[in-house]
Amino acid sequence: MEHQTFAERLNAAMGRQNLKQVDLLRLAEQSGLKLGKSQMSQYVSGKAVPRRGIALFLAEQLQVDLEWLYEGVRPGAGSKKPDAGAGEIMEQGMMEPEEGERTMREVKKSSKLNNVLYDVRGPVVDEAARMEESGTNVLKLNIGNPAPFGFRTPDEVIYDMQRQLTECEGYSTAKGLFSARKAIMQYAQIKQIPNLSIEDIYTGNGVSELINFSMSALLDDGDEVLVPAPDYPLWTACVTLAGGKAVHYICDEEAEWYPDLADMEKKITDRTKAIVVINPNNPTGAVYPREVLEQIVELARKHQLILFSDEIYDRLIMDDFEHVPIASLAPDLFCVTYSGLSKSHMIAGFRIGWMILSGNKRIARDYMEGLNMLSNMRLCSNVPAQSIVQTALGGYQSVNNYIVPGGRIYEQREYIYRALNDIPGISAVKPKAAFYIFPKLDRKKFNLADDEKFALDLLREKKILIIHGGGFNWSQPDHFRVVYLPRIEVLKDAMGSLADFLKDYRQS
C-alpha cells in the first residue's frame, strides 16, 4: 500500500469524524490546550507535524491510534521524515527524542502569529507551487497581478522613472518626495477629501505597508476594529498582529454586496475603535452608493469611531458608477484613506501606495505621532516609485481604455459574469469595479463542507488556482474568488474546465 503522510492520515480521520479545523480548534480551547489557527492549518496542509502532546489530543478527538497517526515518523528533534510527502517537514523539537539523542531548543515563530492567516498566499498556493516545481502548468486565477496577463505600465511612466533614477539614489523624507505628495494632495482635493495639507500624506511600499502601520500605531491588546466580511485578508491579519480583534460585519450578497448596516451597528462595543471600509471592494467588486456611505458615517459619528477607507480600486470603476470617498462625507471625523498605483497603472511590482489623513485631526494628534514614529523607523518608501506619482496621476489616464465597452477588463468582466452564472450550481453578483468576482456555490448540490478542500480538488484535477471564500474571512464554505485578468480565450478554457469539474463533484 502506498505510504500516507501524516497530513493525509489526519485529513482522512477528520473526514471520518466529520470534523473541520475550526471544530478541533474549539475543542482544544475547551480543553485548555493552546492550538492556533496557523498551527492547525500547517498540520492539515502537510507543512508540519505536531509535537506529541498536540498529536495525542488530535488522536483522542478523532478516535484513532496515536501510533497510526505518527506512522512512518521517526521521533527526533528537528529531524525530517525519510518518507515524508512533498513539503512535509517536522517542526524542530516537536516529538520526543530517541534515547541518546540531544534535544535542541526549538526556534518558534512569535505567538502573535498564531491566529494570523493570509490564504491569498496560503496552503492552496503552496500546493500550486509544488505542482509547478514538478513541471505542471497552473492557471493562476488567484491574485490581482496584472503583469503576467499582458497588462503593461504606461510608457510615459517608465520613461519618467528612467530619467529620474540618478536623482533617486538616496533616501527621501520619511513621508515621501514633495512632488509625489503634492500630486496626491491635489488628487485628494479633486475627490473632495476635506481639511488636509501636504503633511497629511504618507507614501508607502504599497498600501499593505501603510495598513500595517495604521493598525500597529492604533491598537492595544483587545481593541476591536470592524472589518467587512468578505474582506481583503490583510486587514484582518494586521489587526490581529497588532494585538487587536477583527470583528467582521456582513456584506449582503442579496443587496449587491453592500454592508449590512444593522449587523455593523450590532457589533459595535465599548472596545471598538474603528470601522474599515473597502470601496471598491475586493473580493466582490462592489461599489458603495453615497447613501450607504452616509449611513456608515452616521454610525461612526454616533460611536466616535475612526474611518479607515481602502480605495485602491477607485480608478477601475465600470458602468458609469460613481466612486465617493467616504472621507468626503465626514469632515468632522478622523479619516484615513488609502490608494496607490499598483492596479490603476498596472505597476504592482513597483510598490507605491499612499494614505491620506483628513477631517478632525485635532482629536488624533497622539495617534498621528505614532504614525510618524513608524514612518521614520522604516526611513522612507521606494524612492524611484515615488518619482513617477506625479506623472501617473496627471494627464491622460490609459486605464480608462480598459474599463469601457470594448476594453479588456470590461469585456472580460462581461464574459466571466455570464460564464459563471451559466454553470449549474454557481451564481454570482456582477462586479462594478476592479477585476475580481466572488461567486457562490450551491452547498447542497455539491455537499460542500470545506471550501479550501474544494479549491485544492480543483487545483489538483484541473490545474486551476483560485482562492476559497474562507481566505477572505467569509464564514460559510460556499464562495471563491476568481481574478478575471486573463484574456477571454483563456477564461473560456478555464470556465469549461470548471464546469466539467463540477459536473460530478461532491464532497464526501
PDB file of all heavy atoms in Angstrom, residues 54-66:
ATOM      1  N   ILE A  54       0.116  17.590  21.304  1.00  0.00           N
ATOM      2  CA  ILE A  54      -0.972  18.004  20.421  1.00  0.00           C
ATOM      3  C   ILE A  54      -1.470  16.812  19.613  1.00  0.00           C
ATOM      4  O   ILE A  54      -2.671  16.633  19.400  1.00  0.00           O
ATOM      5  CB  ILE A  54      -0.511  19.149  19.498  1.00  0.00           C
ATOM      6  CG1 ILE A  54      -0.296  20.428  20.324  1.00  0.00           C
ATOM      7  CG2 ILE A  54      -1.518  19.413  18.388  1.00  0.00           C
ATOM      8  CD1 ILE A  54       0.218  21.609  19.534  1.00  0.00           C
ATOM      9  N   ALA A  55      -0.530  15.958  19.157  1.00  0.00           N
ATOM     10  CA  ALA A  55      -0.931  14.781  18.385  1.00  0.00           C
ATOM     11  C   ALA A  55      -1.811  13.845  19.220  1.00  0.00           C
ATOM     12  O   ALA A  55      -2.761  13.248  18.711  1.00  0.00           O
ATOM     13  CB  ALA A  55       0.302  14.041  17.883  1.00  0.00           C
ATOM     14  N   LEU A  56      -1.494  13.724  20.513  1.00  0.00           N
ATOM     15  CA  LEU A  56      -2.312  12.890  21.403  1.00  0.00           C
ATOM     16  C   LEU A  56      -3.727  13.445  21.491  1.00  0.00           C
ATOM     17  O   LEU A  56      -4.714  12.700  21.437  1.00  0.00           O
ATOM     18  CB  LEU A  56      -1.671  12.818  22.788  1.00  0.00           C
ATOM     19  CG  LEU A  56      -2.395  11.950  23.831  1.00  0.00           C
ATOM     20  CD1 LEU A  56      -2.489  10.504  23.352  1.00  0.00           C
ATOM     21  CD2 LEU A  56      -1.658  12.019  25.167  1.00  0.00           C
ATOM     22  N   PHE A  57      -3.835  14.766  21.623  1.00  0.00           N
ATOM     23  CA  PHE A  57      -5.157  15.405  21.648  1.00  0.00           C
ATOM     24  C   PHE A  57      -5.919  15.117  20.351  1.00  0.00           C
ATOM     25  O   PHE A  57      -7.101  14.756  20.369  1.00  0.00           O
ATOM     26  CB  PHE A  57      -5.000  16.918  21.841  1.00  0.00           C
ATOM     27  CG  PHE A  57      -6.203  17.714  21.462  1.00  0.00           C
ATOM     28  CD1 PHE A  57      -7.307  17.794  22.306  1.00  0.00           C
ATOM     29  CD2 PHE A  57      -6.262  18.369  20.234  1.00  0.00           C
ATOM     30  CE1 PHE A  57      -8.431  18.521  21.938  1.00  0.00           C
ATOM     31  CE2 PHE A  57      -7.378  19.102  19.870  1.00  0.00           C
ATOM     32  CZ  PHE A  57      -8.464  19.167  20.725  1.00  0.00           C
ATOM     33  N   LEU A  58      -5.230  15.276  19.205  1.00  0.00           N
ATOM     34  CA  LEU A  58      -5.878  15.035  17.914  1.00  0.00           C
ATOM     35  C   LEU A  58      -6.336  13.586  17.801  1.00  0.00           C
ATOM     36  O   LEU A  58      -7.442  13.296  17.321  1.00  0.00           O
ATOM     37  CB  LEU A  58      -4.920  15.381  16.770  1.00  0.00           C
ATOM     38  CG  LEU A  58      -4.554  16.864  16.617  1.00  0.00           C
ATOM     39  CD1 LEU A  58      -3.462  17.042  15.572  1.00  0.00           C
ATOM     40  CD2 LEU A  58      -5.783  17.687  16.251  1.00  0.00           C
ATOM     41  N   ALA A  59      -5.478  12.657  18.223  1.00  0.00           N
ATOM     42  CA  ALA A  59      -5.821  11.239  18.142  1.00  0.00           C
ATOM     43  C   ALA A  59      -7.059  10.930  18.977  1.00  0.00           C
ATOM     44  O   ALA A  59      -7.953  10.178  18.556  1.00  0.00           O
ATOM     45  CB  ALA A  59      -4.639  10.389  18.592  1.00  0.00           C
ATOM     46  N   GLU A  60      -7.136  11.510  20.175  1.00  0.00           N
ATOM     47  CA  GLU A  60      -8.290  11.261  21.056  1.00  0.00           C
ATOM     48  C   GLU A  60      -9.579  11.814  20.436  1.00  0.00           C
ATOM     49  O   GLU A  60     -10.622  11.156  20.435  1.00  0.00           O
ATOM     50  CB  GLU A  60      -8.046  11.896  22.423  1.00  0.00           C
ATOM     51  CG  GLU A  60      -6.975  11.185  23.241  1.00  0.00           C
ATOM     52  CD  GLU A  60      -6.644  11.935  24.525  1.00  0.00           C
ATOM     53  OE1 GLU A  60      -7.118  13.087  24.679  1.00  0.00           O
ATOM     54  OE2 GLU A  60      -5.916  11.385  25.371  1.00  0.00           O
ATOM     55  N   GLN A  61      -9.499  13.039  19.898  1.00  0.00           N
ATOM     56  CA  GLN A  61     -10.694  13.653  19.327  1.00  0.00           C
ATOM     57  C   GLN A  61     -11.145  12.943  18.058  1.00  0.00           C
ATOM     58  O   GLN A  61     -12.346  12.870  17.780  1.00  0.00           O
ATOM     59  CB  GLN A  61     -10.436  15.141  19.033  1.00  0.00           C
ATOM     60  CG  GLN A  61     -10.087  15.978  20.240  1.00  0.00           C
ATOM     61  CD  GLN A  61     -11.171  15.967  21.302  1.00  0.00           C
ATOM     62  OE1 GLN A  61     -12.355  15.935  20.981  1.00  0.00           O
ATOM     63  NE2 GLN A  61     -10.777  15.993  22.573  1.00  0.00           N
ATOM     64  N   LEU A  62     -10.198  12.430  17.307  1.00  0.00           N
ATOM     65  CA  LEU A  62     -10.513  11.768  16.037  1.00  0.00           C
ATOM     66  C   LEU A  62     -10.714  10.264  16.195  1.00  0.00           C
ATOM     67  O   LEU A  62     -10.964   9.561  15.216  1.00  0.00           O
ATOM     68  CB  LEU A  62      -9.404  12.045  15.020  1.00  0.00           C
ATOM     69  CG  LEU A  62      -9.198  13.531  14.674  1.00  0.00           C
ATOM     70  CD1 LEU A  62      -7.975  13.713  13.803  1.00  0.00           C
ATOM     71  CD2 LEU A  62     -10.431  14.095  13.986  1.00  0.00           C
ATOM     72  N   GLN A  63     -10.545   9.771  17.439  1.00  0.00           N
ATOM     73  CA  GLN A  63     -10.765   8.359  17.763  1.00  0.00           C
ATOM     74  C   GLN A  63      -9.891   7.442  16.910  1.00  0.00           C
ATOM     75  O   GLN A  63     -10.368   6.485  16.287  1.00  0.00           O
ATOM     76  CB  GLN A  63     -12.251   8.013  17.605  1.00  0.00           C
ATOM     77  CG  GLN A  63     -13.158   8.835  18.525  1.00  0.00           C
ATOM     78  CD  GLN A  63     -14.625   8.503  18.350  1.00  0.00           C
ATOM     79  OE1 GLN A  63     -14.976   7.385  18.001  1.00  0.00           O
ATOM     80  NE2 GLN A  63     -15.482   9.500  18.595  1.00  0.00           N
ATOM     81  N   VAL A  64      -8.607   7.813  16.845  1.00  0.00           N
ATOM     82  CA  VAL A  64      -7.636   6.974  16.137  1.00  0.00           C
ATOM     83  C   VAL A  64      -6.468   6.692  17.062  1.00  0.00           C
ATOM     84  O   VAL A  64      -6.279   7.358  18.088  1.00  0.00           O
ATOM     85  CB  VAL A  64      -7.129   7.650  14.842  1.00  0.00           C
ATOM     86  CG1 VAL A  64      -8.248   7.848  13.857  1.00  0.00           C
ATOM     87  CG2 VAL A  64      -6.424   8.972  15.152  1.00  0.00           C
ATOM     88  N   ASP A  65      -5.660   5.703  16.698  1.00  0.00           N
ATOM     89  CA  ASP A  65      -4.489   5.343  17.481  1.00  0.00           C
ATOM     90  C   ASP A  65      -3.370   6.340  17.225  1.00  0.00           C
ATOM     91  O   ASP A  65      -3.084   6.692  16.067  1.00  0.00           O
ATOM     92  CB  ASP A  65      -4.037   3.926  17.100  1.00  0.00           C
ATOM     93  CG  ASP A  65      -2.853   3.481  17.938  1.00  0.00           C
ATOM     94  OD1 ASP A  65      -3.031   3.242  19.144  1.00  0.00           O
ATOM     95  OD2 ASP A  65      -1.747   3.408  17.360  1.00  0.00           O
ATOM     96  N   LEU A  66      -2.727   6.814  18.290  1.00  0.00           N
ATOM     97  CA  LEU A  66      -1.649   7.792  18.151  1.00  0.00           C
ATOM     98  C   LEU A  66      -0.526   7.259  17.266  1.00  0.00           C
ATOM     99  O   LEU A  66       0.012   7.989  16.430  1.00  0.00           O
ATOM    100  CB  LEU A  66      -1.098   8.174  19.529  1.00  0.00           C
ATOM    101  CG  LEU A  66       0.096   9.132  19.527  1.00  0.00           C
ATOM    102  CD1 LEU A  66      -0.280  10.479  18.924  1.00  0.00           C
ATOM    103  CD2 LEU A  66       0.628   9.314  20.941  1.00  0.00           C
TER     104      LEU A  66
END
